[in-house]
Amino acid sequence: MAAATDDVPKRQVTPVPLPVLPISSIPQKRALEDDHAPPISSPLNPNPSSQQSHDDPATTSREKPARTKKETLKKRESKGGIGGGIGAGAGGGAGGNGGTDSSRATPDPKIKDRVPSESSPLRFKLAPPKPSDFDPARGPIFTHHHDIPAPDGAVLQFFETSEHVYNKKSYQYLHCIADPVFPSSFYYRQTEPEPYGPHISFEDASTHMFFDQSGRHVTTDKGFRMARANVAVREGTWYWECKVTRGILNSEAGTKNAGSSKDAAYQPESHGHVRIGFARREASLDAPVGFDAYSYGLRDVAGQKVHMSRPKDFFPPGEDIKEGDVIGLEIRLPSEHLHRKIVQGQYNPAVDLNEEEDSIVEAANIVRDRIPIRFKAHIYFEKIDYHTTKELEDLMNPSPVGTSGQGGNRQGDKPNPNHNVPALRTLPNSYIKVYKNGVPMGTPFTDLFAFLPPASKPQVQPGAREGKDDGMLGYYPAISVFRGGSVETNFGPDFWYPPPGYVAPQGNADVDMVDVDEDTVRVGTPQQKKLDKTRALAERYDEQIVEDIVADVVDEVDFWMQDGARVLDRTGGRDEKAEPVGIAPASEEIKELVQDD
């Protein structure tokens, strides 16, 4: 009995150390349980994968080889390609870090085929240029077609142009030339042929239009068709004028019969008809200016203003645009800085009072996706042109349900700077003024449509990228002629009837120091006055040439950097200044363009 009683305290002692002994082992059991966390997240376990234990030596030893695993040296060298020798000595050291350094020194095989950024133009592999590609660009061939008498008694000779390409089928063409200074751009850059200076573009015109050899006179023997000038307005105030050399007869009889523009029977005697104005790139060349939402025009009959094919009274009753009349057009556009704010949806009329808040603003990112093509004896850059949008088509032809699938245009959805649709946003402080023989006639158009992307979009097809500004967007001087009507253009700087306040540029006096003293330099006021200062379109042409040269240099540097900051020889050894890298010249010849009139 005594032995049995002695066993009782032993049974009571055994439970005492049980809560003490497992204390050191509890964290280990919980750590092991964490490794089997549920794969589905919950409020108490939001990221199961990140809760795995990293303190277990066995687990760490298993993960290290997976993190540092790399391919063999022979395989890396085979993928390194031409640039495999760059920095090869960096990984030659001994020790545990030698493998890591070698991995960093070995070039990534993806670098060879690096995709250019969105701000870079598309790059094409081309065959080496032909020797004739280095010759200066040539203009069209002029073939005499007919003569007409001018109002002043002179005889105007008109020619039919040939051996040049036309901008049509949603493509635009610009002259280019091969230049040894641009090897990374496959030696091609933009250029201009004769006649130099601002004029009506031979390529940017409809077919069956006739010009003089200076490109300042234009006419046709067909129905209404349009031609644009070779210079675009993007910001500021600009002026140009044109003289009607063939149109409504300047006779008293026609004036007496002109009761009102609403009189449908009023048809003045004429040698043809003309319309003048401004047009964007999307405007159709086979229709008169003012036909769609992309152009603003002035009609010779009754001096009506036309936009989206809707003529409205503008000139006083009984006043036409007749032969010998000089019509001046002044356009004013806000700064590109404010323009980009509007199309990007960042415009606030309460804040953006001044068009330029700072003298240093971000320049436009010009991206030009183009490829050289051949047309007979010429070589051009071909690029996808901008195309009409459904929203503006709906605005021109309103219906309960527009063609774009959205609701019809309601009164509250009128175009404005903060419209939900970028194509329907307008530019504040923009206008077009009209002068007749030096007399101001008024302002027929205000709040012009925005044109910078995404308000303008290219034709949808392979290779087209939306949201890119190629530098050619803007409002172009445009002329439409009808069955014998003819016009002479004058882009300045010497005008027949200069606009009020216009001062022709003289020498190098192109910098105005306004409100400047020893202690204060005001930047905002001169910039604002610069935008409001009326300038001749001839000055804008000079600026456009500079912009094209700068864009060519930027593209060349961009391609040079993509080549690893090296000039690579793509001519098969013909370029002595280029670095031979074993790249065979491309065998694909520049394509030949064929167009039918």
Side-chain angles (χ1 to χ4, degrees), residues 139-151:
I141 295 178
F142 295 92
T143 303
H144 182 265
H145 190 269
H146 68 280
D147 298 337
I148 63 172

Side-chain angles (χ1 to χ4, degrees), residues 276-397:
I276 54 179
F278 288 92
R280 289 164 50 179
R281 292 233 51 85
E282 299 94 328
S284 174
L285 295 175
D286 296 326
V289 58
F291 169 78
D292 47 29
Y294 304 97
S295 59
Y296 302 85
L298 193 66
R299 188 182 178 207
D300 59 350
V301 178
Q304 292 180 320
K305 61 180 182 180
V306 186
H307 180 55
M308 294 190 291
S309 297
R310 292 171 175 82
K312 297 181 180 179
D313 292 339
F314 176 61
F315 276 18
E319 187 165 357
D320 299 322
I321 300 177
K322 304 176 182 180
E323 291 183 355
D325 286 339
V326 175
I327 302 300
L329 295 175
E330 176 185 315
I331 187 172
R332 203 271 185 190
L333 298 176
S335 65
E336 290 190 39
H337 176 66
L338 181 64
H339 195 156
R340 288 194 292 272
K341 278 188 174 183
I342 293 172
V343 296
Q344 293 171 3
Q346 302 174 356
Y347 173 70
N348 186 347
V351 177
D352 300 319
L353 300 178
N354 295 326
E355 298 184 12
E356 291 291 353
E357 300 177 356
D358 194 351
S359 61
I360 301 177
V361 296
E362 182 181 358
N365 184 23
I366 304 300
V367 180
R368 306 177 299 176
D369 294 336
R370 54 193 190 176
I371 182 172
I373 60 100
R374 300 189 189 279
F375 182 79
K376 298 182 178 179
H378 305 271
I379 183 167
Y380 293 91
F381 275 131
E382 181 184 73
K383 60 177 291 294
I384 300 175
D385 209 350
Y386 295 89
H387 198 260
T388 56
T389 59
K390 293 182 178 179
E391 292 80 8
L392 287 180
E393 291 180 359
D394 293 346
L395 184 67
M396 180 177 174
N397 302 303

Side-chain angles (χ1 to χ4, degrees), residues 12-80:
Q12 296 178 352
V13 173
T14 52
V16 175
L18 289 177
V20 178
L21 293 176
I23 291 178
S24 60
S25 62
I26 289 176
Q28 296 179 1
K29 291 182 179 180
R30 290 179 180 176
L32 293 175
E33 290 176 357
D34 289 342
D35 292 340
H36 302 280
I40 303 175
S41 62
S42 65
L44 297 179
N45 189 21
N47 191 6
S49 60
S50 63
Q51 308 218 351
Q52 295 181 0
S53 175
H54 299 285
D55 298 332
D56 190 357
T59 304
T60 306
S61 61
R62 289 194 304 269
E63 293 178 353
K64 281 185 178 180
R67 290 198 302 267
T68 59
K69 183 179 178 180
K70 55 183 179 295
E71 298 173 342
T72 61
L73 179 60
K74 184 176 181 180
K75 191 173 183 180
R76 292 198 308 270
E77 289 179 349
S78 62
K79 287 188 175 183

